[in-house]
Amino acid sequence: MIKNNKRRCTFFFIMSVLLFIFSGCGSSSEEAASSSDPEAIRESQISELENSDLIGNVDAYAAIQGVLAESAAPTPAKVFIIENDESVEEGAGEKYVYSPHYFDLPEELQAKSDAEMNVLVKLRSYYMETGTYSNEGIAYTRYVQITILDRAAGTIIHEETMIGSAPFSISEDQSAGYGYVPEYQVLEKILAYFGYSEE
């Protein structure tokens, strides 16, 4: 009877240890999987940004102006990017929000706080009427204005405007056609200024 109890205790002890080991391995593999999951990484980055004081200062950043004085960025550059919110109705005034391009910057370029941020990139996107079609439809071209400011110096250290592709052809029942600036090209322009280029 005593031997049977000892065997049972030993069996349960071994099973408990094995269960603990396997559950530990499972959770670590899940953590490893989530750490390499792009969506999980992006969610973590958004959470980190929302907990910083950068978000709360977007309106103040949007109001920053400067005299154009083309020059290199300060070293090390710690960058934050904002862009105009195109969902705001025309006539309601321009509104800026943080730009998703911020998350695509190399880690060493990303400012993590208001105190650290010394370079501000402002993106302003808009459409302009650039022609008409044979069915009297309107052709629009997209423009993206990139303004890079040295916050400490109070100067615009780089400014350029990207012009979208020619508006696409449209069918007879369409009233407008649009030319675009691909988002990846906007990011490439920003990175090129800071010395990052695609190999």
Side-chain angles (χ1 to χ4, degrees), residues 146 148 158 160 162 184-194 196:
I146 301 172
I148 302 177
H158 182 69
E160 67 179 291
M162 300 179 70
Y184 77 88
Q185 289 183 0
V186 177
L187 180 63
E188 283 177 357
K189 283 281 186 185
I190 295 168
L191 290 176
Y193 175 77
F194 292 102
Y196 294 82

Side-chain angles (χ1 to χ4, degrees), residues 9-25:
C9 288
T10 304
F11 173 76
F12 284 121
F13 176 74
I14 291 168
M15 290 302 290
S16 298
V17 170
L18 289 172
L19 186 62
F20 175 77
I21 290 168
F22 286 128
S23 65
C25 290

Side-chain angles (χ1 to χ4, degrees), residues 72-195:
T75 305
K78 292 297 181 180
V79 183
F80 190 54
I81 306 176
I82 61 174
E83 62 184 40
N84 61 312
D85 183 355
E86 293 184 87
S87 68
V88 174
E89 290 184 19
E90 198 173 334
E94 218 161 43
K95 173 76 176 169
Y96 278 78
V97 293
Y98 76 82
S99 172
H101 286 305
Y102 165 79
F103 300 117
D104 298 318
L105 294 174
E107 185 74 20
E108 63 269 20
L109 273 183
Q110 292 180 8
K112 299 300 182 183
S113 68
D114 175 71
E116 186 180 54
M117 190 264 283
N118 59 5
V119 178
L120 176 68
V121 177
K122 290 167 73 173
L123 303 176
R124 183 172 175 270
S125 302
Y126 55 94
Y127 285 98
M128 286 188 66
E129 184 178 332
T130 51
T132 55
Y133 295 96
S134 58
N135 69 348
E136 298 184 355
I138 302 171
Y140 293 96
T141 298
R142 186 172 180 78
Y143 292 76
V144 179
Q145 183 180 29
I146 301 172
T147 304
I148 302 177
L149 297 109
D150 182 325
R151 189 181 184 191
T155 56
I156 296 170
I157 51 179
H158 182 69
E159 192 167 51
E160 67 179 291
T161 300
M162 300 179 70
I163 302 172
S165 59
F168 299 115
S169 59
I170 60 173
S171 59
E172 282 299 316
D173 60 344
Q174 289 179 297
S175 60
Y178 298 88
Y180 296 96
V181 176
E183 290 297 326
Y184 77 88
Q185 289 183 0
V186 177
L187 180 63
E188 283 177 357
K189 283 281 186 185
I190 295 168
L191 290 176
Y193 175 77
F194 292 102

